[in-house]
Amino acid sequence: MKSNAVLKGVERAPHRALFKAMGYTDEELSRPLIAIVNAANEIIPGHIHLDKIVEAVKAGVRMAGGTPIEFGAIGICDGIAMGHIGMRYSLASRELIADSAESMLLGHAFDGAVFIPNCDKIVPGMLMAAGRVNIPSIFVSGGPMMAGNFRGNRADLNSVFEGVGAVAAGKMSEADLAELEDTACPGCGSCSGMFTANTMNCMTEVLGMGLPGNGTIPAVDARRIRLAKKAGMQIMELVAKDLRPRDIMIEEAFANAFTVDMAIGGSTNTVLHLPAIAHEVGIRIDLNWINEIGAKTPHLAYLRPGGIHHIQDLDEAGGISAVLAVLHQQGLIHGGTLTVTGKTLAENIKGAKVLRDDVIRSVDNAYHAEGGLAILWGNLAPDGCVVKQSAVAPEMMQHEGPARVFDSEAEAITAILGGKIVAGDVVVIRYEGPKGGPGMPEMLSPTSAIAGMGLDKDVALITDGRFSGASRGASIGHISPEAMEGGPIALVQEGDRIKIDIPGRRIDVLVSEEELARRKASWKAPEPKIKQGYLNRYSRLVTSANTGAVLK
């Protein structure tokens, strides 16, 4: 056992004395030491209840003969961080989570780990740590929030963001918005659509790092507690077999993840997080590969923000296991990949069935023939960019319009809410990438304002930043190279014509190469927005969005 390094032998008597100072017994110290990486806090709805999940996990570990030892992990609520400096810390916190978990796990010679995340950056940060440290590990999330109810209709966090735009457009009163605010998020859990948190929890299940049900069992369901106990028990089997993350997260597992991502119309942020996780286990993911997977994967589930269903519906329909079963029948899934059950993915989904075909459609009745995400290329994005095409209105799949250029998200929001953006415009928000932001902030406020004002079928938004998993419409993010690195998006001028062709996988500014070269010759990078502290260090170390925004 790895913990022998701190527990065995005469020379480790001082170490054991420190354990005994905390009340550990010789019997507990004779068992495998299992880290419980707990992201509970009182600032994220998806994490407010994680202490209950932790207690269930600890019970499982003890039942199976291990000694659970808990330590904490930070977490930022993307919704609360949205629209101010806090959002610049969100993506950057992913690296802090990975680094701190690595430090704790290796600093104390744990034999195994149970990771307990739930929301946006916490899930990938912990997966990165698991791949990097490579000790037996299992994940159990806190589960999704139930949808809210607003005057007989379902609602969620995105409904409230869009309500802000509706009030600005005179389509909703402030009193109505206040009522919506009180009902949209009814309790604990990760926000109820196929936004980033739930997408990543589903990806954890597909990668093989979480038990079946990890992605969809609601936070308030007793099955979630039972799942946590099973995860606590299962880590002991993983330790006994020495089955590690790098045995599980192989290239075929990432292919499976992107395939399911395409089938369920997941968040564009997976194009940041899955490559970053793969990087930690020595796998390089090329953006062209993502398009190749999307081209052959049907879009089977249409959840919020593009569709009408929520995660609870996907769970009722059979969950991720049912989606995997449909895709496996079509030969689109690598069934032989290992999982934390100790079995293969194909063995895990044996017998899984679709229980609601209105939620998980058959391949013959797919919402779209291609997957939910698309990578675009062109003279505006030589290194690529991403769009959630499943959330784009048909009339916006091809669009050409004048650039409305803003050097920050705040400037763009002011213009949108001020009625200065009109049908046909292409809103360009730049200097918000990994370096320029810094931290590549999400842009849910502008996309929601556009949708709430009824312009989502008429206006495109493009950025070197990123969009929330809750964004819908022609929202194209991750434009690489970013403006801060002198990418072409930095050279766009007010009124330039921009042509978007999502089916053709193209995005171009209709300006000659000679003119772009002339503009580039006179371009100078602006001063960094943050000149001290963590974000300043982050901006100097972070790489482009097309690499997953990993640190050098």
Side-chain angles (χ1 to χ4, degrees):
M1 295 193 302
K2 295 177 182 61
S3 58
N4 287 349
V6 294
L7 293 176
K8 295 298 182 183
V10 173
E11 69 278 12
R12 295 298 184 241
H15 303 64
R16 293 192 295 273
L18 291 171
F19 275 96
K20 290 179 178 179
M22 295 178 279
Y24 289 98
T25 65
D26 286 326
E27 289 79 9
E28 287 174 300
L29 298 182
S30 70
R31 300 170 181 172
L33 301 186
I34 306 300
I36 311 297
V37 190
N38 180 11
N41 61 42
E42 296 181 347
I43 195 64
I44 308 179
H47 290 221
I48 192 71
H49 65 303
L50 289 189
D51 281 343
K52 293 182 179 178
I53 303 293
V54 166
E55 290 308 312
V57 168
K58 288 180 178 178
V61 170
R62 292 190 180 104
M63 282 190 287
T67 297
I69 300 177
E70 175 188 346
F71 64 82
I74 67 165
I76 290 176
C77 177
D78 278 26
I80 294 173
M82 197 75 63
H84 60 95
I85 192 174
M87 181 45 69
R88 304 188 187 285
Y89 283 91
S90 175
L91 180 60
S93 73
R94 185 186 72 180
E95 317 308 315
L96 291 175
I97 292 162
D99 289 350
S100 60
E102 171 199 354
S103 301
M104 290 293 289
L105 291 168
L106 295 182
H108 300 98
F110 284 102
D111 297 300
V114 183
F115 291 87
I116 305 173
N118 209 25
C119 291
D120 297 48
K121 306 312 157 306
I122 299 90
V123 180
M126 288 187 176
L127 282 165
M128 290 166 67
R132 186 186 303 172
V133 174
N134 200 36
I135 63 173
S137 301
I138 192 170
F139 281 64
V140 57
S141 79
M145 185 186 294
M146 300 296 284
N149 187 303
F150 178 63
R151 298 178 181 175
N153 296 310
R154 280 191 177 177
D156 52 48
L157 179 65
N158 200 35
S159 307
V160 188
F161 272 99
E162 293 187 3
V164 175
V167 170
K171 297 183 176 182
M172 175 182 276
S173 70
E174 289 188 28
D176 290 340
L177 180 59
E179 182 182 339
L180 176 59
E181 171 189 326
D182 286 344
T183 58
C185 299
C188 65
S190 47
C191 296
S192 56
M194 190 55 76
F195 312 144
T196 304
N198 289 322
T199 301
M200 287 308 303
N201 284 323
C202 291
M203 294 302 97
T204 300
E205 185 176 332
V206 180
L207 282 171
M209 292 300 294
L211 296 173
N214 181 73
T216 62
I217 296 173
V220 295
D221 195 314
R223 289 178 297 151
R224 179 63 57 178
I225 299 297
R226 296 199 294 272
L227 186 76
K229 290 178 180 177
K230 289 179 181 178
M233 297 173 71
Q234 187 61 24
I235 187 59
M236 299 309 298
E237 181 176 331
L238 297 176
V239 169
K241 292 181 176 179
D242 198 27
L243 184 58
R244 306 184 186 200
R246 293 189 188 184
D247 300 320
I248 293 169
M249 291 193 289
I250 61 175
E251 186 170 317
E252 290 80 3
F254 285 97
N256 288 341
F258 275 115
T259 299
V260 173
D261 193 20
M262 293 292 180
I264 62 178
S267 166
T268 54
N269 282 313
T270 55
V271 180
L272 279 177
H273 298 322
L274 289 175
I277 298 162
H279 174 77
E280 296 292 349
V281 296
I283 297 170
R284 182 181 178 275
I285 290 179
D286 185 86
L287 295 185
N288 277 313
W289 185 52
I290 299 173
N291 264 347
E292 290 170 7
I293 291 173
K296 61 185 180 182
T297 305
H299 178 208
L300 304 178
Y302 206 12
L303 290 89
R304 288 278 287 163
I308 61 170
H309 296 124
H310 289 82
I311 304 299
Q312 66 205 65
D313 298 303
L314 182 58
D315 185 62
E316 290 175 5
I320 293 301
S321 291
V323 175
L324 282 164
V326 174
L327 295 171
H328 192 240
Q329 288 169 4
Q330 298 296 312
L332 297 173
I333 290 294
H334 299 277
T337 57
L338 285 174
T339 74
V340 291
T341 65
K343 301 176 181 178
T344 66
L345 193 66
E347 289 173 322
N348 286 349
I349 62 175
K350 188 176 182 179
K353 296 179 180 179
V354 174
L355 305 177
R356 282 183 57 185
D357 59 11
D358 62 317
V359 178
I360 303 173
R361 290 190 175 184
S362 66
V363 171
D364 293 338
N365 191 35
Y367 286 101
H368 303 99
E370 294 185 345
L373 301 181
I375 308 298
L376 311 185
W377 312 85
N379 72 351
L380 191 53
D383 292 339
C385 59
V386 62
V387 62
K388 189 171 185 174
Q389 64 177 351
S390 61
V392 178
E395 50 266 57
M396 288 298 291
M397 294 295 284
Q398 293 177 310
H399 179 76
E400 182 181 324
R404 304 297 309 280
V405 182
F406 303 95
D407 287 345
S408 72
E409 178 190 14
E411 293 176 14
I413 292 172
T414 299
I416 293 167
L417 295 179
K420 296 181 180 179
I421 302 301
V422 299
D425 285 347
V426 178
V427 176
V428 179
I429 306 174
R430 63 191 182 189
Y431 296 106
E432 297 286 16
K435 289 183 181 294
M440 205 180 183
E442 286 187 345
M443 307 285 178
L444 182 55
S445 294
T447 59
S448 297
I450 288 286
M453 297 171 79
L455 292 171
D456 55 302
K457 296 180 180 179
D458 302 292
V459 171
L461 293 93
I462 67 174
T463 183
D464 55 1
R466 60 196 176 93
F467 290 109
S468 165
S471 292
R472 63 186 175 99
S475 303
I476 301 169
H478 307 194
I479 288 182
S480 300
E482 63 174 289
M484 196 67 173
E485 293 187 328
I489 192 173
L491 312 178
V492 176
Q493 295 181 358
E494 185 80 8
D496 285 348
R497 304 291 293 182
I498 292 178
K499 185 176 182 180
I500 299 166
D501 181 4
I502 295 174
R505 303 296 189 258
R506 295 287 304 182
I507 182 168
D508 295 282
V509 56
L510 303 182
V511 174
S512 70
E513 292 302 311
E514 294 76 14
E515 173 61 15
L516 288 176
R518 186 188 66 77
R519 294 180 187 179
K520 180 66 180 286
S522 61
W523 175 84
K524 291 183 180 180
E527 284 290 312
K529 294 174 184 173
I530 307 291
K531 296 182 173 60
Q532 63 182 10
Y534 174 58
L535 281 183
N536 179 265
R537 296 196 303 275
Y538 178 85
S539 68
R540 288 185 276 116
L541 295 172
V542 70
T543 60
S544 172
N546 67 297
T547 67
V550 297
L551 299 186
K552 294 177 184 176

